[in-house]
Amino acid sequence: MQLATSRSAAEVWEFIDAETGRRRQQAESAATEQKAVKALPPSKKSWAARPWQCLGSDAELEDCAITSHRPPCILLAQQPRRAFHQVCNLSDKDSSELWNSSQMECRPFKDPTYDLRRMEQDMAVQAVPVTQDLAVQATPARAVPGSTQYEARSLAEQEKENLLTSEAVAQFLDRVWPRCDEALQQNEVTNIFEDDFAFLGDDDSGTGNRKETTISEYQSFTDLQHSKGKAVSAIHWLPHRKGVVAVACTDPQSFNQRVDALGGAPPSHAVLIWNFRDPIHPELILESPYEVFCFQSNPLQPEVITGGCYNGQIIMWDTASQEERIAQSGPAGEEGKASKEGAGSEERGMTAVVKGSHLSLVDASHTTCVTDLQWLPGMSFTRDGRPPTATKAAETPKAAGRECNFFATTAGDGRIMFWDMRVGYNRRKVKREREDEEVEWSPTCVVHLTRPEGGDLAARHTCFNLKDTLKTTFFVGSSDGELVYADWIKPEGEEHPDYSKACVRAHNGAIISLQRSPFFEDVVVSVGDWSLALWKEGQHQIPLFTSPHAPAPYTAGCWSPTRPGVIYAARADGVLEVWDLLDRSHEPSMTAAPCTTPITYLAFSPAGAPPAAGGRSVQQLLAVGDGAGVLHIMDLPRNLRRRVPSEVNTMHAFLTRHLARLDYLQACKPRRAQLLKEHQERQKVAEDEREAAALAAAQAAANSAAAAAAAAAAGEPVGLPVAAVPIRNASKDIDEKAEEAYRKMEDAFRVQLGLVPDGVAVT
């Protein structure tokens, strides 16, 4: 059957049918949801809040309450006004003296008529609902032993192929793909294996207690015989023993004072080894015939210690026997129970003294005081100044990467000497006349550094790349503030080669510290005079960063071993500065004053080494030596020892930004030189014009004066000088030219700033 109707009526019918279908679909969805909810297991019963219902406890509580049946007693205490705000002198007295004296205003006495009556009432109050005892059997039927045998079910190959190519699997993958992609991106951005609880306390480090944000002193060491009245010259932590640090002290005398004291009795010089278990007595004393200004232990054989003396000689100690004796004797204070004594050592009271096993020849040593000593693990040297060949390297007792036999010394005579700790290793074929004859110890290789203008370089510190043992270049800091980039390889065919590759004036005073960054191999920090500077290998002319001038001269400096952007610098007024370059670069982020005398040396404890047995592994200690011979052990707060997330990348970006700045300055140098030359030429032209105008004015004035003199001699009246008008005109021309030049310079400046387009006339 067909119906004819209007369009509006048909649209109404269609809307009614669509609405009816939508409502039917909603009703079916609601019914489905109700069925799903009913199918869920019953949840825990929730208690609904109900109004309070009194069961008779209010009356019981009112009976237990104590009410007052009389007005309260009022006590009025009065005192004269002049007695207020008086000074009270309080003191302690014995109780027996106080009770028997007449100073008590109210003496204790026993009242025979005193009787204590107490009202007691036993009442019970129930404050919980009525309880019931119920039992529920929650176990199934009795247990019956049984067994089940099953086998894995797998689909056939055709069924697997049909399942993987089905539309349902494709829809499932399309549905879960965005969530899987998001999870993979989160895994790329976030480290899922990072322990969040390890850094939980770092968030509150800024608002924590004072100990977590300040540098505090952990312990201090001093010896009345060997360090009193002296200055700490070197500090070294023994890497194989926890809580053990060695320190050398020297007499702060001038050269003339030392010369005057040569006639007296020779003083005792030693390196003291302190253990945290005994802060009063040194554990070992390394005896030396001369003052030791620098020393270090072998990284792979820590029982071997070498030091540089004041007269330029090198001394070596071997503490293996004493360390074995200490390990057998137990804690400090029981050394007297040990019956074994090492060769070359003797007992003085409770401290063992170790004498030097080898001393270098005077003629083959430095001629001035040794200022720096560094071990070079994995590196070897030959006497002809060339790296050893593969054949020679194979002849060595151990592999090149597993040994540390050479160390370098530096002195003010301009020579860098490389020594072999295996004394006599290269002379095994030479027979000694007597068995007790000492072997002559001389350097294996010597590098003589000179200044560009001539003369020896007053070398003070060296800085080698210990991570890349094949690299032969190194930095040298001098006492005159010069930073030298040198190569110890001797060129072929040159008898007296120049080992210096580049030399730049880094500081106005002596470079007292030169250290390579533990995180960036090509970045070096130099500390001297009133500033510190960062240098990049390959950019030797301009530093990457230079700090502002400090209130007092710097005396020591070093990198932080755990934070890439932190540098420690010590001043002559006893203040320790902490430079966090990622926080601020115009001033130190933290300062501390561990002593009142100048700080002479800084040394960090090995990473992860606790101060003593049972100490925390997260503790980081900094050894600070001062000018009074006291060794201070400073405990660093958590914000200075724990690295900030992505700090290495941030510090790399900081260095890259400053390197780009240097490249821009280097690129602008030719343009600046050209502009300077043009400016000087313009100044010269203006000066020549000014001189010519002045000369013309002087000539005109002379002519006018001569004419006036001739007129006066002839009896004619003399008026104004004729040269007055030319002088005024000449000065006016000069002013107009200067004004025109200034306007041209101002217009060029506006065009350079972009205020006026180029080529547009400026009015």
Side-chain angles (χ1 to χ4, degrees):
M1 183 179 64
Q2 296 181 353
L3 282 177
T5 179
S6 63
R7 181 182 298 275
S8 60
E11 292 177 354
V12 171
W13 284 348
E14 290 178 355
F15 173 76
I16 292 174
D17 292 341
E19 184 67 20
T20 304
R22 187 181 63 81
R23 292 183 179 181
R24 186 184 302 109
Q25 187 177 1
Q26 288 183 354
E28 292 176 358
S29 301
T32 304
E33 291 180 358
Q34 289 180 0
K35 290 180 181 180
V37 171
K38 289 181 180 180
L40 294 175
S43 59
K44 294 184 179 180
K45 185 177 180 180
S46 60
W47 294 91
R50 294 181 297 176
W52 167 256
Q53 182 180 0
C54 180
L55 300 179
S57 60
D58 292 350
E60 296 176 358
L61 293 176
E62 290 179 359
D63 294 341
C64 294
I66 300 176
T67 58
S68 177
H69 300 285
R70 62 172 179 80
C73 299
I74 300 175
L75 178 63
L76 179 62
Q78 296 181 350
Q79 190 177 10
R81 186 177 182 85
R82 62 177 177 275
F84 287 94
H85 302 289
Q86 297 294 328
V87 179
C88 299
N89 296 326
L90 304 179
S91 60
D92 297 334
K93 285 192 176 183
D94 189 71
S95 59
S96 59
E97 179 184 357
L98 186 62
W99 289 106
N100 296 329
S101 64
S102 60
Q103 299 179 1
M104 297 187 59
E105 299 179 356
C106 182
R107 296 185 179 183
F109 65 97
K110 186 177 181 180
D111 188 4
T113 61
Y114 176 75
D115 187 14
L116 178 62
R117 296 181 181 180
R118 297 181 180 178
M119 297 178 62
E120 297 181 359
Q121 186 177 8
D122 296 334
M123 298 189 68
V125 177
Q126 184 176 355
V128 295
V130 180
T131 60
Q132 293 181 354
D133 295 336
L134 297 176
V136 178
Q137 180 72 23
T139 58
R142 64 185 184 87
V144 178
S147 61
T148 303
Q149 183 177 2
Y150 64 93
E151 60 179 356
R153 296 180 58 186
S154 60
L155 300 176
E157 296 296 332
Q158 185 63 29
E159 294 178 352
K160 291 181 181 179
E161 184 178 357
N162 296 337
L163 182 62
L164 293 176
T165 57
S166 63
E167 185 67 23
V169 174
Q171 293 178 359
F172 170 75
L173 294 177
D174 293 339
R175 187 171 62 256
V176 301
W177 164 249
R179 287 181 286 177
C180 293
D181 187 29
E182 182 181 359
L184 292 175
Q185 291 180 1
Q186 290 179 356
N187 292 343
E188 289 291 336
V189 175
T190 307
N191 185 11
I192 61 176
F193 300 102
E194 184 178 359
D195 187 7
D196 296 333
F197 293 98
F199 301 96
L200 187 61
D202 293 343
D203 298 338
D204 302 331
S205 60
T207 59
N209 53 12
R210 189 172 181 269
K211 185 178 180 181
E212 294 297 332
T213 56
T214 58
I215 301 176
S216 59
E217 183 172 351
Y218 182 79
Q219 205 167 1
S220 62
F221 301 94
T222 184
D223 187 77
L224 298 178
Q225 180 181 359
H226 297 90
S227 61
K228 184 179 181 181
K230 298 182 179 181
V232 176
S233 58
I235 302 173
H236 180 67
W237 294 81
L238 299 186
H240 66 301
R241 300 185 60 192
K242 298 179 180 179
V244 179
V245 58
V247 58
C249 297
T250 57
D251 198 350
Q253 290 183 350
S254 63
F255 178 77
N256 296 331
Q257 293 175 347
R258 294 177 183 273
V259 172
D260 296 338
L262 288 178
S268 59
H269 307 288
V271 175
L272 306 179
I273 298 180
W274 294 93
N275 196 318
F276 281 22
R277 297 176 301 181
D278 187 2
I280 301 178
H281 305 94
E283 188 177 64
L284 286 178
I285 297 178
L286 308 182
E287 195 175 45
S288 172
Y290 305 98
E291 289 181 316
V292 178
F293 277 78
C294 57
F295 70 95
Q296 273 193 6
S297 63
N298 193 317
L300 302 183
Q301 302 179 22
E303 65 275 2
V304 177
I305 303 176
T306 55
C309 301
Y310 177 76
N311 66 334
Q313 289 183 281
I314 309 300
I315 188 172
M316 181 189 299
W317 299 277
D318 190 357
T319 61
S321 58
Q322 288 297 326
E323 291 182 0
E324 182 181 356
R325 179 188 62 82
I326 293 174
Q328 294 178 358
S329 62
E334 299 181 2
E335 287 83 351
K337 299 180 182 180
S339 59
K340 297 172 62 178
E341 293 187 3
S345 63
E346 57 182 4
E347 298 288 340
R348 292 183 183 176
M350 298 181 61
T351 305
V353 178
V354 181
K355 296 183 179 180
S357 58
H358 296 90
L359 188 65
S360 63
L361 293 175
V362 177
D363 298 339
S365 303
H366 293 279
T367 57
T368 59
C369 174
V370 181
T371 56
D372 193 13
L373 186 147
Q374 286 190 11
W375 284 92
L376 307 174
M379 300 177 66
S380 57
F381 303 86
T382 57
R383 293 192 175 274
D384 56 354
R386 296 191 172 280
T389 60
T391 305
K392 293 183 179 180
E395 295 176 356
T396 55
K398 299 181 181 179
R402 301 178 183 176
E403 62 180 3
C404 181
N405 298 323
F406 289 88
F407 62 93
T409 58
T410 309
D413 55 0
R415 293 187 296 173
I416 311 297
M417 295 186 176
F418 300 93
W419 303 78
D420 191 349
M421 62 167 284
R422 301 165 297 180
V423 180
Y425 173 72
N426 296 327
R427 301 182 180 181
R428 286 180 292 182
K429 298 182 180 180
V430 180
K431 295 184 178 180
R432 290 179 290 176
E433 298 179 358
R434 300 189 309 270
E435 292 296 333
D436 57 347
E437 182 182 359
E438 295 185 359
V439 180
E440 297 180 354
W441 191 19
S442 59
T444 303
C445 178
V446 179
V447 174
H448 194 181
L449 299 177
T450 58
R451 304 175 63 182
E453 58 272 13
D456 296 336
L457 179 71
R460 188 180 181 95
H461 291 282
T462 55
C463 183
F464 293 86
N465 191 349
L466 302 182
K467 295 183 179 180
D468 188 2
T469 57
L470 300 178
K471 205 164 190 177
T472 59
T473 55
F474 59 96
F475 285 94
V476 181
S478 69
S479 300
D480 299 326
E482 298 167 332
L483 183 64
V484 178
Y485 189 67
D487 192 343
W488 58 267
I489 294 296
K490 184 178 180 180
E492 297 182 1
E494 295 187 18
E495 187 66 25
H496 300 285
D498 185 10
Y499 297 94
S500 301
K501 304 301 179 183
C503 181
V504 63
R505 173 71 67 175
H507 298 274
N508 296 325
I511 297 180
I512 48 90
S513 180
L514 187 65
Q515 188 179 15
R516 195 179 294 268
S517 172
F519 297 91
F520 305 97
E521 299 180 8
D522 54 349
V523 178
V524 178
V525 61
S526 63
V527 182
D529 54 63
W530 291 269
S531 63
L532 57 92
L534 297 182
W535 304 84
K536 183 176 178 61
E537 196 167 359
Q539 297 284 343
H540 312 126
Q541 301 300 327
I542 304 177
L544 291 177
F545 167 79
T546 303
S547 67
H549 285 270
Y554 285 127
T555 54
C558 63
W559 285 95
S560 172
T562 56
R563 294 199 54 189
V566 176
I567 302 175
Y568 294 81
R571 301 199 314 235
D573 55 355
V575 176
L576 178 64
E577 294 182 352
V578 182
W579 286 82
D580 191 352
L581 300 180
L582 303 183
D583 178 27
R584 62 190 73 173
S585 58
H586 64 283
E587 63 179 0
S589 59
M590 184 183 299
T591 58
C595 56
T596 58
T597 56
I599 299 176
T600 57
Y601 207 89
L602 298 176
F604 273 96
S605 61
R616 297 179 298 158
S617 60
V618 298
Q619 190 177 24
Q620 189 180 47
L621 301 179
L622 174 63
V624 178
D626 61 3
V630 181
L631 175 62
H632 305 270
I633 307 297
M634 311 302 295
D635 188 6
L636 301 182
R638 179 164 38 191
N639 59 343
L640 292 181
R641 65 174 180 262
R642 286 198 176 181
R643 152 185 343 174
V644 181
S646 304
E647 185 173 355
V648 177
N649 298 333
T650 309
M651 186 61 185
H652 184 267
F654 173 84
L655 298 175
T656 305
R657 185 169 62 252
H658 281 269
L659 183 60
R661 178 182 62 86
L662 293 183
D663 295 340
Y664 174 75
L665 293 178
Q666 293 291 341
C668 292
K669 271 189 176 181
R671 176 60 178 168
R672 291 185 177 182
Q674 183 180 359
L675 293 177
L676 180 61
K677 184 178 180 181
E678 293 177 357
H679 177 67
Q680 292 177 353
E681 291 178 355
R682 287 195 300 267
Q683 284 187 343
K684 185 177 181 181
V685 171
E687 186 177 356
D688 293 343
E689 292 178 355
R690 196 178 300 109
E691 291 180 356
L695 183 59
Q699 186 66 28
N703 297 336
S704 176
E716 298 179 359
V718 182
L720 292 175
V722 181
V725 176
I727 291 176
R728 294 194 191 98
N729 296 335
S731 61
K732 185 177 180 180
D733 295 340
I734 294 174
D735 294 340
E736 290 179 355
K737 290 182 180 180
E739 183 68 21
E740 184 179 358
Y742 175 76
R743 288 182 178 178
K744 289 182 180 179
M745 184 176 62
E746 184 179 6
D747 296 342
F749 182 68
R750 290 182 178 180
V751 172
Q752 184 179 2
L753 292 179
L755 301 177
V756 178
D758 193 5
V760 178
V762 181
T763 57

